[in-house]
Amino acid sequence: MSKQVTFTLDGEQVTAEAGLTIWEVANGRGLKIPHLCHKPQPGYRPDGNCRACMVEIEGERTLAASCIREPAEGMVVTTNNARATSARKMVMELLVADQPAQDVAHDKSSHLWDMAELNGVSESRFPKLEEGHIPLLDDSHVAMNVNLDACISCGLCVRACREVQVNDVIGMAGRGHNAYPTFDIVLLCGLRRMRAGLPDRRADARHRGGRRAGRGSCRF
Amino acid sequence: MAPLDNTSGVWKSGRGKGRKTPKGRQLDDQAHSDILALLGDRPRNRDLLIEFLHLVQDKFGHISASHIRALAEELRTGQAEIYEVASFYAHFDVVREGEAPPPALTIRVCDSLSCEMAGAEQLKKALEEGMDPAQVRVLRAPCMGRCDTAPVLEIGHNHIDHATVEKVEAAIAADDTHAHLPAYETYQDYAANGGYAVLKDLRANGDWEAVQEKVLSAGLRGLGGAGFPSGKKWGFVRMNEGPRYLAVNGDEGEPGTFKDRYYLERTPHVFLEGMLIAAWAVEAEKAFIYMRDEYPAVLEILRREIAALEEAGIVEPGYIDLRRGAGAYICGEESAMIESIEGKRGEPRHRPPFVAQVGIFGRPTLVHNVETLYWITKINREGPECLNAVEKNGRKGLRSYSVSGRVKNPGVHLLPAGSTILDVIEAAGGMVDGHAFKAYQPGGPSSGLLPAHMDDIPLDFDTLQPHGSFIGSAAVVVLSDQDSARDAALNMLRFFEDESCGQCTPCRVGCEKAVKLMQAEKWDQSLLEELSSAMVDASICGLGQAAPNPIRLTMKHFPEEV
């Protein structure tokens, strides 16, 4: 029998296997905490950077990212109070500000829009980035086609490439609001079917009249 | 042409004709030999990446794609990994194929608050108009830690105080582009005055717990800004099994702060001895000094004096590992600094775990600010009374205020920790003639802006928190009736926007949106307040959590301006 921890989640006593994160425990109980940079799939390390899954832990000064935080014995976690929900909502609103509107989005049914809906966010009150700030389309290689205007700089593609596929050809370049993923030597690998929160590149490839580049597994 | 070039491809990929080379950017022989020559027999350790990038940048004035490829070859790492690190730091210029390298000479004009108030914007404009862009490029840059001589700029690595276009032209004509070393106390001078006697005595028969108790009784707290009791840190680090490391945070980037530079350019060995006492106390395997690249003179002083310590047998060669920052304020955040020491992008880590448990290379790490270590030596040489005997307004101890702005005598002023802003202004010679005191930044932009009428608060740890501010690194900037609080707040948020690492959404996007909202004729105060609370609650590190302070305090105390 593995070790168990008991903590309070939204007022309920919960006993869970030690080592699971708050997000995982909540998810296992049917409570969907919004998440963007965290992909609940084997091999994907949660990184806690997008701050879409913030929850309140009693006694802590700031909110905590539930995707990377493991509950401790006796911890009191609240996901549904005003402080946590408004922080999560604000994160979505900040991100949506610079996305193409959903009806003209590259991928209208992307995970990002699902999460926006889960937060009750459909538009943003914030001013947009300057025109020309985002490198609109990175198609610097025949096998690559990325709509960076749909990118939320969450680094999921970097983790997928570096830690899941172990190709290490994607990096996060730049700093601050100039931080965008950058691609080195693009390999024809399974990664290309991974969507990493980015729009469906297969559709784009079809649109360009090309083959469905990226089918098949990594050749390296 | 090599024989293989004419044959059909050797890199078969199953179908087709194959290819003549492996995929991707090819290793360029010239670039590879450049890198081999620069790296010499240095170990090809991944954590030295930033040091290696400096070698390339210093030699060639930029970092080309072919050099990145060659570095990747030497370090056995991916090019993407090198590119992401190089592009994170402001002092590296990455040049891809087909792009023009920057001109040979770079002028960086400081645009942080004190320099902006002293006319940095006009200076930068005049330089841009007067210089040939093919020969010289003029860039804006964040605080260079010389706010007492604003406006300031850097030509190559030569800092020009009270800068003017004429001074710049003269420096260029004289090819004066290297750092000038000030006169300082060398190892010989320091040792002749009894320096390192305490360290030697402690090493021979000292009790670290007794020393820690002495530091605690002196009341010393972390002077980088966080104010954690220094006398408790050693025990926390020692609780974790070795090997342990010590890291000195010399990334003094909080605009308005220059106290660490002040001490290092005068008495570097007081700091170095304190560092070695702390290293002894936690039995550190190695002591890293992370020094910001904006302080080239300090870097040179430390290089020389570390060599002197090695020669004198006080430390083993290589025990002190001096690392050079590369232009990133965020690396003053201790976990970001550790990432940078490991040769990575300076992105803060999540807590828990704390760096005392999991620090450099995953090992327990003691992190101290430069000035804190200066006082460790003082406490051990002069007794805890050197701090705890001073009392003012109910506060004990001394504080090095970095004072700049509209005062007659800006500079580092060592005053009782209970000093109010009026005491600080008085020590700094009073207000400049014709200027009336209007507002002040008590401890860097992270502490926001307070109005002149809040003049009876001791500027110390814990006393400013009830007012939505904090003392931080005690970087006091004094504003007058001729300055706009609104412009000052915007200057601060622009700084955070530029310096945010970009890792978490609230800070990366929040700072950028805040700047846009603050540029509007009339601030959308309710949206800014909503944004501020999300940034405070949901940002990963102190940068994003403190960035809203200038917004909130300006809305509260200067509503007529926004």
Side-chain angles (χ1 to χ4, degrees):
Chain A
M1 184 84 188
S2 57
K3 221 178 139 228
Q4 307 256 305
V5 284
T6 301
F7 69 109
T8 308
L9 182 63
D10 290 340
E12 273 183 64
Q13 287 275 313
V14 175
T15 300
E17 198 183 313
L20 291 176
T21 63
I22 295 171
W23 192 93
E24 286 168 326
V25 175
N27 196 49
R29 296 168 51 83
L31 170 64
K32 188 96 171 164
I33 303 175
H35 61 108
L36 292 169
C37 70
H38 168 46
K39 189 178 177 71
Q41 292 282 328
Y44 287 85
R45 174 177 58 84
D47 195 43
N49 71 59
C50 75
R51 318 306 272 176
C53 67
M54 303 307 280
V55 297
E56 189 180 78
I57 296 173
E58 202 175 271
E60 295 196 2
R61 188 172 52 87
T62 57
L63 301 175
S66 59
C67 71
I68 49 169
R69 197 60 186 277
E70 292 171 15
E73 190 66 37
M75 190 184 261
V76 179
V77 179
T78 310
T79 72
N80 56 4
N81 64 6
R83 187 178 173 213
T85 48
S86 62
R88 295 198 299 259
K89 204 169 166 170
M90 184 53 78
V91 165
M92 284 309 305
E93 197 178 340
L94 285 169
L95 290 172
V96 163
D98 293 308
Q99 290 285 315
Q102 192 175 6
D103 51 347
V104 293
H106 303 287
D107 181 358
K108 297 175 182 59
S109 58
S110 69
H111 176 68
L112 180 104
W113 286 110
D114 290 347
M115 290 300 115
E117 196 184 330
L118 192 58
N119 278 297
V121 172
S122 58
E123 51 190 16
S124 178
R125 290 167 288 170
F126 290 103
K128 279 182 162 299
L129 277 167
E130 298 82 4
E131 195 91 20
H133 179 91
I134 310 169
L136 271 188
L137 178 74
D138 186 347
D139 57 354
S140 50
H141 188 278
V142 64
M144 190 181 72
N145 198 339
V146 185
N147 296 110
L148 287 176
D149 56 343
C151 174
I152 57 164
S153 302
C154 71
L156 179 56
C157 61
V158 179
R159 276 171 283 146
C161 178
R162 193 166 287 168
E163 298 169 18
V164 183
Q165 298 283 350
V166 203
N167 280 324
D168 209 2
V169 294
I170 305 184
M172 187 61 83
R175 186 171 80 197
H177 65 290
N178 292 313
Y180 285 108
T182 183
F183 299 78
D184 185 5
I185 316 157
V186 173
L187 308 174
L188 291 177
C189 74
L191 169 66
R192 311 237 310 103
R193 290 176 299 170
M194 192 226 46
R195 291 172 48 188
L198 289 172
D200 191 342
R201 294 192 218 121
R202 286 169 297 174
D204 279 323
R206 278 199 297 277
H207 179 70
R208 289 160 71 224
R211 284 184 296 136
R212 284 173 64 167
R215 284 188 92 184
S217 56
C218 179
R219 305 200 180 178
F220 269 67
Chain B
M1 205 177 255
L4 275 180
D5 289 355
N6 279 332
T7 62
S8 60
V10 293
W11 297 88
K12 298 290 187 191
S13 58
R15 280 178 297 171
K17 285 183 257 176
R19 55 184 82 235
K20 291 173 184 168
T21 59
K23 286 180 183 178
R25 186 177 286 128
Q26 301 306 301
L27 181 63
D28 177 74
D29 288 341
Q30 180 58 46
H32 194 211
S33 61
D34 290 343
I35 295 294
L36 286 176
L38 282 174
L39 265 53
D41 57 1
R42 290 179 172 83
R44 291 346 188 212
N45 293 347
R46 174 65 180 74
D47 62 289
L48 293 171
L49 175 59
I50 293 170
E51 295 295 313
F52 296 159
L53 288 169
H54 272 305
L55 293 175
V56 180
Q57 174 81 33
D58 287 349
K59 168 95 178 167
F60 298 98
H62 64 277
I63 297 165
S64 68
S66 57
H67 282 136
I68 288 187
R69 172 69 182 88
L71 257 182
E73 182 78 12
E74 276 305 295
L75 294 178
R76 301 284 184 273
T77 183
Q79 294 172 64
E81 255 182 76
I82 296 183
Y83 181 71
E84 66 175 10
V85 173
S87 62
F88 184 87
Y89 296 93
H91 293 181
F92 295 136
D93 296 297
V94 182
V95 175
R96 294 204 194 190
E97 290 92 349
E99 286 178 354
L105 196 56
T106 298
I107 299 180
R108 291 189 155 89
V109 184
C110 173
D111 68 356
S112 287
L113 188 56
S114 303
C115 284
E116 185 178 272
M117 282 160 56
E121 208 182 316
Q122 294 85 323
L123 175 67
K124 178 165 176 276
K125 211 161 161 236
L127 286 169
E128 280 166 342
E129 282 163 7
M131 300 284 154
D132 174 7
Q135 303 294 320
V136 182
R137 87 183 148 153
V138 182
L139 302 177
R140 50 106 4 221
C143 185
M144 297 171 182
R146 313 178 80 86
C147 324
D148 49 340
T149 55
V152 172
L153 55 78
E154 187 185 26
I155 306 180
H157 287 301
N158 179 18
H159 283 96
I160 309 275
D161 296 333
H162 299 297
T164 59
V165 177
E166 294 71 44
K167 283 189 184 177
V168 169
E169 282 166 351
I172 293 176
D175 199 20
D176 186 7
T177 58
H178 293 286
H180 294 210
L181 288 201
Y184 64 90
E185 188 184 38
T186 61
Y187 172 72
Q188 278 76 19
D189 304 339
Y190 184 69
N193 288 322
Y196 293 106
V198 169
L199 175 73
K200 285 175 184 161
D201 184 45
L202 287 174
R203 279 178 175 175
N205 43 29
D207 168 9
W208 74 269
E209 281 174 295
V211 179
Q212 172 167 265
E213 194 47 49
K214 204 193 266 184
V215 171
L216 194 63
S217 71
L220 183 64
R221 292 173 65 174
L223 295 167
F228 191 83
S230 308
K232 288 186 181 163
K233 259 189 180 176
W234 298 353
F236 285 136
V237 174
R238 280 195 74 118
M239 271 190 319
N240 301 286
E241 219 171 288
R244 309 180 192 98
Y245 294 114
L246 168 84
V248 179
N249 190 340
D251 200 52
E252 183 178 54
E254 187 74 27
T257 319
F258 43 96
K259 61 184 181 63
D260 291 351
R261 181 177 69 82
Y262 177 89
Y263 289 114
L264 289 167
E265 287 185 353
R266 285 162 180 81
T267 52
H269 284 282
V270 183
F271 149 72
L272 285 167
E273 182 169 9
M275 176 185 83
L276 293 174
I277 292 171
W280 159 81
V282 298
E283 294 174 349
E285 294 286 306
K286 201 167 175 171
F288 292 89
I289 304 178
Y290 189 85
M291 186 50 58
R292 68 190 304 230
D293 201 29
E294 286 82 349
Y295 290 175
V298 170
L299 279 160
E300 184 53 33
I301 290 170
L302 289 176
R303 267 180 221 121
R304 292 180 185 189
E305 298 311 306
I306 291 168
L309 286 178
E310 289 176 352
E311 200 173 316
I314 291 186
V315 291
E316 292 285 319
Y319 179 77
I320 304 175
D321 194 339
L322 177 63
R323 295 297 183 89
R324 181 175 162 196
Y329 162 73
I330 189 60
C331 293
E333 199 279 347
E334 62 177 5
S335 66
M337 175 188 73
I338 285 174
E339 289 284 298
S340 192
I341 288 173
E342 292 182 1
K344 300 177 193 159
R345 292 161 66 78
E347 291 176 352
R349 295 178 180 174
H350 296 281
R351 275 82 154 187
F354 294 92
V355 301
Q357 305 159 300
V358 181
I360 301 174
F361 307 132
R363 304 306 313 168
T365 302
L366 173 68
V367 178
H368 275 313
N369 161 261
V370 169
E371 194 199 348
T372 309
L373 292 167
Y374 172 92
W375 287 107
I376 297 268
T377 303
K378 288 268 178 193
I379 290 164
N380 278 287
R381 287 186 69 171
E382 298 166 16
E385 299 75 30
C386 71
L387 287 181
N388 66 18
V390 183
E391 195 169 338
K392 180 168 182 169
N393 294 333
R395 311 293 307 180
K396 276 190 178 170
L398 289 168
R399 183 159 304 264
S400 308
Y401 295 97
S402 308
V403 191
S404 62
R406 309 293 185 191
V407 289
K408 279 188 184 146
N409 187 14
V412 172
H413 294 279
L414 183 64
L415 301 174
S419 301
T420 64
I421 185 63
L422 296 181
D423 300 323
V424 171
I425 293 175
E426 192 192 334
M431 296 295 292
V432 171
D433 295 333
H435 288 262
F437 176 38
K438 169 181 169 175
Y440 65 108
Q441 164 196 290
S446 308
S447 69
L449 208 56
L450 295 174
H453 67 79
M454 292 172 73
D455 59 6
D456 57 350
I457 311 164
L459 302 182
D460 195 10
F461 294 120
D462 314 325
T463 52
L464 289 158
Q465 270 81 343
H467 306 284
S469 181
F470 57 89
I471 186 61
S473 54
V476 179
V477 179
V478 180
L479 279 71
S480 78
D481 53 347
Q482 297 177 27
D483 302 308
S484 144
R486 173 201 167 96
D487 288 352
L490 182 57
N491 177 288
M492 295 173 184
L493 261 292
R494 280 210 173 106
F495 168 78
F496 290 129
E497 180 192 23
D498 284 324
E499 297 297 332
S500 165
C501 79
Q503 184 183 195
C504 73
T505 311
C507 176
R508 179 187 68 244
V509 188
C511 289
E512 178 253 318
K513 299 302 176 207
V515 165
K516 291 201 168 57
L517 292 171
M518 291 164 79
Q519 283 168 330
E521 186 88 17
K522 189 111 188 101
W523 288 10
D524 184 341
Q525 297 203 27
S526 68
L527 185 56
L528 275 167
E529 177 50 41
E530 264 186 71
L531 174 61
S532 295
S533 25
M535 288 173 73
V536 171
D537 274 343
S539 294
I540 293 176
C541 81
L543 193 160
Q545 290 164 11
N549 286 340
I551 309 177
R552 285 178 151 168
L553 289 167
T554 304
M555 292 194 297
K556 184 172 178 196
H557 297 296
F558 305 95
E560 68 285 355
E561 290 191 32
V562 299

